Amino acid sequence: MIRSQRATADIVIERDGSVVVRAPEWADDDQVARIVRSKEYWIYKTLAEWRDLNAAAVLREYKNGAAFLYLGRAYRLSLVDGQDAPLQLKNGRFLLRRELVAAGDARLAKLAFQDFFRAKGRLRLGDRVRYYAPKVGVEPLGVEVKELGHRWASCSPGGKLHFHWKCMMAPQTVIDYIVVHELCHLHHRDHGDAFWNEVDKVLPDFRERKEWLRRQGAALEV
């Protein structure tokens, strides 16, 4: 359970399947327990859906011809020699230095993809934040692309936006939804009606984008 300065309680199923209760500081444990009990059916139903969706999670291999996602499109992988950059996208293919997987250890290859998506994300996500911030009517203090575990993005109390590097594997329409979602949290910290109304003002089709992320998010993996 996470307590913060918020008006209402909120229950979410995170990307790793954990159930997180975000409660106002003024709510005592008994009040929070009653809220959780009232949402039991929704929690079990949503967890069952999460298990079904994540059963199709993709385990990618770092070998010639393997497919990796970038901005919603799949690109084939080629292992190459004599390349300065660990990983680059060129002529419609991901080119990965062969020695990064030669020892059979995938950690260096995965790190190369993470660094690639972080670098691309700093540019693209920064641009999209600058585009949408005036439409939402907020002024975020900065943008950072990093490893966020089971969260797609977060908004710090000081107004800085953090995005998971895996966002760069999603289509642009879904990236825009994630950006607008976090910008609207600068108005409303919870996921109440007022928050979703703010999202709807900017992205009237946000439900379709949100549903894509719910169904396809498990495939955004390297």
Side-chain angles (χ1 to χ4, degrees):
M1 181 170 61
I2 301 172
R3 294 187 182 275
S4 61
Q5 294 180 348
R6 56 189 298 131
T8 60
D10 188 24
I11 302 174
V12 296
I13 308 298
E14 297 287 13
R15 282 177 50 212
D16 64 349
S18 61
V19 181
V20 177
V21 181
R22 303 188 182 111
E25 292 180 341
W26 51 261
D28 61 35
D29 290 345
D30 288 340
Q31 289 174 300
V32 174
R34 284 195 295 272
I35 293 171
V36 172
R37 284 195 297 270
S38 72
K39 295 286 187 177
E40 275 186 339
Y41 173 77
W42 177 87
I43 291 171
Y44 286 120
K45 176 176 177 290
T46 306
L47 282 174
E49 292 174 350
W50 179 89
R51 285 190 290 269
D52 289 342
L53 294 172
N54 281 272
V58 177
L59 179 62
R60 304 192 187 279
E61 297 182 272
Y62 301 98
K63 62 183 183 180
N64 286 318
F68 289 82
L69 294 171
Y70 176 54
L71 297 178
R73 178 182 170 185
Y75 293 89
R76 296 297 177 182
L77 180 69
S78 291
L79 302 180
V80 298
D81 299 308
Q83 177 174 278
D84 291 336
L87 176 73
Q88 60 178 330
L89 182 59
K90 186 176 181 180
N91 298 327
R93 275 187 174 264
F94 273 118
L95 306 180
L96 178 69
R97 281 211 314 247
R98 190 183 308 274
E99 67 261 28
L100 297 181
V101 296
D105 188 344
R107 287 180 297 177
L108 293 177
K110 184 169 185 175
L111 182 61
F113 272 94
Q114 290 179 7
D115 290 343
F116 176 89
F117 288 131
R118 280 194 182 100
K120 296 295 185 182
R122 281 191 289 269
L123 295 173
R124 185 173 291 265
L125 287 162
D127 285 343
R128 302 315 285 167
V129 167
R130 285 189 291 273
Y131 175 78
Y132 279 110
K135 298 179 183 298
V136 178
V138 294
E139 295 183 5
L141 295 183
V143 173
E144 187 174 355
V145 182
K146 58 194 293 187
E147 170 64 50
L148 286 178
H150 55 267
R151 305 188 70 180
W152 292 112
S154 65
C155 175
S156 71
K160 190 170 186 178
L161 305 183
H162 305 269
F163 297 96
H164 200 302
W165 56 266
K166 290 182 182 179
C167 291
M168 294 305 297
M169 303 175 74
Q172 185 62 59
T173 55
V174 176
I175 291 174
D176 285 352
Y177 161 70
I178 297 171
V179 167
V180 171
H181 184 117
E182 293 309 315
L183 287 170
C184 288
H185 274 314
L186 295 177
H187 284 306
H188 305 282
R189 293 290 174 177
D190 59 17
H191 290 100
D193 290 344
F195 168 80
W196 292 114
N197 286 338
E198 289 290 340
V199 177
D200 185 71
K201 290 176 186 176
V202 182
L203 297 176
D205 64 342
F206 79 87
R207 292 173 184 82
E208 289 81 1
R209 306 183 194 212
K210 179 183 177 184
E211 180 64 9
W212 187 99
L213 190 60
R214 187 182 75 85
R215 290 189 173 277
Q216 304 297 329
L220 304 185
E221 190 60 74
V222 298

